[in-house]
Amino acid sequence: MGIKENFSYPLDERWNVQEITDVVDFFTKIEESYQKGVKKQTLKNAYDKFRQVVPNKSEEKRIYREFEQNSGMQPFQAVKQLRDEVVKIIKVTENGYH
C-alpha cells in the first residue's frame, strides 16, 4: 500500500479541542517521519500527548489501523523507533526504517 495524498485523520467527536490538537500533531509527526524524518524527542513528546488522549492500547491500535487505511502510513513503524537508544532522527522508509 502506498502513501496517499489527501486523507483524513481518525478523530473522535468526544475529544475536546486540545485533545484533537494533540492527536493531529502526533499524526503530523508521523507524516514527517515518512517524508523527511523527525527528531526523536519531538516524536516522543507528541506520542506522550497522544497517549494521554488515547491511553487504551486497543483503542490506539484501532486508531493506528484507521490512520494507515486513510494514509498508507503505519504509525507503529515510527513509534517503535522511540525504543532504539541510538536513533536521533526517526525516519520511516518503505522497508520499515533506516
Side-chain angles (χ1 to χ4, degrees):
M1 176 192 283
I3 295 175
K4 300 175 183 174
E5 287 291 319
N6 297 314
F7 58 89
S8 61
Y9 294 124
L11 302 175
D12 188 319
E13 70 271 355
R14 294 170 294 181
W15 294 338
N16 66 37
V17 172
Q18 185 58 56
E19 291 169 330
I20 290 170
T21 301
D22 290 342
V23 170
V24 168
D25 183 56
F26 170 68
F27 285 120
T28 300
K29 300 302 183 265
I30 296 299
E31 285 183 71
E32 287 179 27
S33 76
Y34 272 81
Q35 295 165 351
K36 61 183 179 187
V38 63
K39 289 182 181 177
K40 181 179 184 178
Q41 191 60 49
T42 300
L43 180 61
K44 182 183 181 329
N45 293 344
Y47 179 64
D48 289 346
K49 288 180 180 180
F50 171 81
R51 291 288 293 145
Q52 289 176 357
V53 178
V54 184
N56 181 297
K57 276 292 191 185
S58 63
E59 182 69 4
E60 177 181 3
K61 289 177 183 177
R62 184 193 65 73
I63 290 171
Y64 280 8
R65 280 192 304 273
E66 187 176 335
F67 180 77
E68 182 179 354
Q69 288 172 345
N70 293 346
S71 70
M73 293 177 257
Q74 298 176 323
F76 182 72
Q77 292 298 325
V79 170
K80 75 179 181 181
Q81 291 182 58
L82 294 175
R83 292 181 253 158
D84 191 330
E85 298 289 326
V86 180
V87 171
K88 300 279 190 259
I89 300 290
I90 307 284
K91 176 77 171 111
V92 181
T93 65
E94 289 185 28
N95 301 327
Y97 61 92
H98 74 246

